[in-house]
Amino acid sequence: MAWRRFSLHTRLAWAGFLFVFPALLHLIAFKLYPMLEAFRLSFYQYDLMSPPVFHGLENYRAVWNNPLFHQSFWVSFKYMFGVSIPEWFLALALALLLNRHLPGRALIRLAYFFPIAMSQIVVALVWKFMYNPLGVVNTLLGYVGIGRINWLTTEETALPALILIGIWRGIPLFGVIYLAGLQAIPREYHEAARVDGAGAWQSFRHVTIPLLTPTILFVMVMSLLSAMKVFLNPLVMTEGGPNGTTRVLPYFIYDTAFAYHRMGEAAAASMVLFAFAFALTLVQLRLLRRGGLE
């Protein structure tokens, strides 16, 4: 057979390529091509009704002069860090707890993974009912003397309510990543630290944290990128309100494209979001290299 004329190395290389080819095809068709098309569209005026007309940099200028864009950018910024910073510490605390020998540890691990397994739309609808003025959240707060709060229709509470959901959903995922990092640390290092007289805190500070640094940096950047792309919860729960206090940047892009049919401006705003994500990725690579993974 003609296939046998090739060396083993060549055949293995082709076999590997054929395995990744479906994923590569999906990446090109549904990721790379839409990105390139959005970049091209960002230079055109297009309203879905008439053919696109080249518009130069006018879309970027219109986005920059749009006060809703700036408001949405800062809402996204507050959401990103409001969700990510608690996740960094709470997910690490959860991983440290689950890394210990607890009774029923396997069952606990299965239970805390439920938030990730649930569909995002289901999560949004369930929490919307829970945040209802007559919902379970206000009922529980009533037991400690706190009056009913219109969580999703009050400017002061709408964004914190969404942030709380983001934290609840993100902790299990990043807890798993932390747990994998903790279990990759050889036990001999901790045993050597104990022999040298180190206590639990000193062992955590001088052994666990330095060896876990690449994982910590990975979690930090991934949580920021994940929070930056939030869209479904504001769409389902608040529709960007009240008064734009939960209109994150992806929702602004969606609104500009499909409510106002300004596809070119929406594409330009998405390019700004992409540039921000790309800058965060570069920061991640730089930090990982400093963390010794180069």
Side-chain angles (χ1 to χ4, degrees), residues 2-255:
W3 179 253
R4 293 185 177 177
R5 289 183 301 177
F6 296 106
S7 67
L8 178 61
H9 177 77
T10 303
R11 281 183 283 170
L12 286 175
W14 272 105
F17 175 75
L18 290 176
F19 273 114
V20 301
F21 182 70
L24 191 62
L25 200 61
H26 179 274
L27 184 68
I28 293 172
F30 296 103
K31 299 288 183 181
L32 185 60
Y33 173 73
M35 283 173 55
L36 294 175
E37 184 64 17
F39 180 68
R40 185 189 69 83
L41 194 60
S42 69
F43 298 102
Y44 284 80
Q45 187 178 33
Y46 183 45
D47 60 1
L48 294 175
M49 304 294 178
S50 51
V53 177
F54 186 73
H55 213 216
L57 295 174
E58 287 303 315
N59 289 325
Y60 289 92
R61 183 176 301 173
V63 166
W64 182 254
N65 292 329
N66 189 342
L68 295 182
F69 170 77
H70 295 279
Q71 182 194 31
S72 302
F73 184 88
W74 285 114
V75 170
S76 284
F77 187 84
K78 287 187 283 188
Y79 181 88
M80 281 170 53
F81 286 95
V83 168
S84 299
I85 292 176
E87 280 180 347
W88 301 340
F89 296 99
L90 295 175
L92 179 58
L94 179 67
L96 289 170
L97 179 67
L98 293 176
N99 199 37
R100 305 173 70 88
H101 294 288
L102 297 173
R105 185 172 60 172
L107 188 63
I108 296 172
R109 286 181 179 177
L110 181 64
Y112 84 79
F113 211 71
F114 276 157
I116 303 174
M118 292 174 66
S119 164
Q120 182 63 41
I121 186 72
V122 173
V123 169
L125 290 173
V126 169
W127 275 93
K128 189 174 182 178
F129 283 118
M130 290 173 64
Y131 278 136
N132 186 279
L134 299 176
V136 66
V137 174
N138 278 329
T139 302
L140 293 175
L141 291 177
Y143 291 132
V144 293
I146 299 177
R148 296 189 185 280
I149 301 172
N150 293 321
W151 290 97
L152 301 179
T153 56
T154 305
E155 291 186 17
E156 291 76 15
T157 58
L159 185 60
L162 296 186
I163 287 174
L164 181 63
I165 301 171
I167 295 170
W168 170 79
R169 191 170 168 82
I171 286 174
L173 173 63
F174 297 117
V176 169
I177 296 173
Y178 274 134
L179 188 60
L182 287 171
Q183 292 183 345
I185 299 175
R187 293 182 179 179
E188 290 79 7
Y189 291 162
H190 291 287
E191 291 172 357
R194 277 197 295 273
V195 169
D196 290 340
W201 168 248
Q202 290 172 314
S203 178
F204 174 74
R205 180 182 175 187
H206 297 292
V207 176
T208 303
I209 290 295
L211 293 176
L212 198 62
T213 298
T215 306
I216 293 173
L217 295 173
F218 177 78
V219 167
M220 289 173 68
V221 177
M222 288 306 296
S223 62
L224 287 170
L225 289 174
S226 175
M228 185 173 60
K229 297 185 295 182
V230 67
F231 169 69
L232 204 54
N233 286 351
L235 175 69
V236 174
M237 300 179 69
T238 63
E239 296 182 352
N243 293 328
T245 51
T246 60
R247 188 195 296 110
V248 291
L249 200 49
Y251 188 87
F252 168 82
I253 295 169
Y254 167 82
D255 220 21

